[in-house]
Each structure stands twice: as structure tokens, then as C-alpha cells.
Amino acid sequence: MSKQPGSSTAAKPDTTDPADEVAAAEAPRPARAPGAPVLALLAVGWLAAMLWSTREAITSAAAGLTAISLSAFALPGVISAALVAGAAVALAVTGLLARRGSDRAALRFVVAVGTGLLVGLAAAVAINLTYADNATTNTIAGTSAAAAIIGGALAGARDSAPVGAVVTATLGALLFVVAFSRARDPLFDLFGADGSQASLVSAAKWVSRTESLLAGLLAGLLTFGYLTWARRRALRRDPATPTLRWPAYLVAGAGPGLLLLLAEVIIRIGGRTLLDLAGALSEADAVAQTSLGTSRLDNGIWVLFVGALTALIAFGRTLGPAPRDDEPETVED
């Protein structure tokens, strides 16, 4: 016997509570990263400057061994710039996606990784078209592309404001290191370099520590300033926006150091062949590559801890005294 339509096969009633849908739609969203397009332009400009300076240094050197050595010295700057550029451009693209209402986590991550891939491919093509065609060039191009993809993946996080703070602070720290190079010679004299080997080594350690300390301070202050700016903009648009707590400032302050350490991991994995070639040129080159690698690790660790502590202290100074509930109330007759 056939069943009549509308009897037992009738559609089940919708048990979704409209109040739950309204609450989900009105749930406060995390603060977005302000100024992401400008940050992306600055990061891409920095990457282009690193690629151009590396090309000029390699092409101006004598062919062969000198070019290999200079390529190994320039590789860290290119990789760190590609990592920051991939994250910054992906942050701008995902921010545009969020403004259009497409803010699903999976879609945001896929778009961020795809944007990093495009930045990496553009950098690799530029390197292959402008650099000499050899194994050194291919290593720089491939490692730069990988760094940009990883940077793009980092920008796929749900909370974009801390990511924007990390990218801003890292870019500021990289710019500071280049500007600090002009002060290294006077600092060598200040720290007692008198021409002897022992005094030069000791002075170099103190100069490196001073550079890392100042870079960490700058990174922490930039992180705090960016997050404060993002919080104020978010509150003006939506007073219900959740306020970032101190762990966000701590992690974001440590972010630039973590990015520098991540760049070092990418350099040692992707650029292993180039570093081995440069280290095999002579005993002095091997010592130089080992020393530079150790210095980069120390710099990343210093920036990590100093940046995190600086951002946390700066945030703590904005907190007022907690209200006291145990004060006795005065009773008037």
C-alpha cells in the first residue's frame, strides 16, 4: 500500500532556535589588522631591495668562488624578506576577503597559502630572470619561494591583528639591523677593539649583543603600538569587540624573534647546498659561515625574549589599579 504524501514522509520540523542564529551572527569578531595594504607594499619593497642588492653584489664580484661566498652571505637577508613579504601580502588579501564577508577559516587559510605561493613564484621568477643561471641562483630562488609560502600560511590565522603586529615589528627590526651597520665601527672602538684578535672577537660579541638588544626593544615597542592601534580602531567600529589579553601581547612580542628563528631553519634546510659550497671554499670561509649562523641564532633568541618582555611591560603599564572590594563602607548618621 503506497503512502500518501504529507503523512509519515513529511519533512521534519526545523528545530533550530532563531535566537542561536542571531547570537552567532552578532558574535563579536576579532580585531582585524589595520594598514595591511600599506604593510604589504613596504614588505614587497623591502624584498625587492634585498633581491636587487644581492644581485648587484654577486654580479659585481668576480665569477666563481667569490660569487658563491657572497651568495651565501646574502641568503639570510633574502629569506627573511621573502618570509615577511609572503605574510604581509597574504594578510592584506585575507583582510579584503573578510571585508567582503567571506571569513571562513578554511577559505582564509587556503587564500593565505595561495597568496604566499604567488609571492614566492614572483620572487623566484625575478631571481631566475635577473641573476646568473647557475645552481646558486636556483637555490636562492627555491628557498625564497618556500619562505614566502610559509609566511603566507602564517597569515591564515584567525586573529589577524597579532599577525599584523608581528609582521610590522619584524620588518622594523630588519630595517634597524641595516641602519645599525653604520654604527658598528664606532661601537667596536667603544668596546675596546685595539687591533688584536682577542679584542676584535670580544668587541664583536658585544656589538652583536647590543644590536640584538636594541632590535628586540624596537620589536616589542612596535608590537605594542600596533596592537594598541588595532584595538582602538576595532572598538570604534564595534564596542563589543573582545579585548586582547596579556598573552596576546606576550606571544606577539615574541613573534619577530620566532620569525627570525624560522627564517634560520629555512636557510639551513633550503640553502644547505649553498652554505656547504661556501664553507668548503677555505677554512676561513667555513669559520665565517659557522660564526654567522651562530650569530643569527643568538640574534633571534635575543629578539624573541626582549621583544616579548618589552611588549608585556608596555601593556602592563596601561593597566590601572584593580578596584578593592574589601574596603569598609562608611555609614553616615
Side-chain angles (χ1 to χ4, degrees), residues 121-142:
L121 288 177
V125 170
I127 292 171
N128 282 318
L129 290 178
T130 58
Y131 287 36
D133 188 13
N134 51 41
T136 298
T137 299
N138 294 332
T139 300
I140 298 176

Side-chain angles (χ1 to χ4, degrees), residues 151-174:
L154 296 177
R158 179 175 181 270
D159 295 333
S160 58
V163 178
V166 171
V167 172
T168 302
T170 306
L171 185 59
L174 293 175

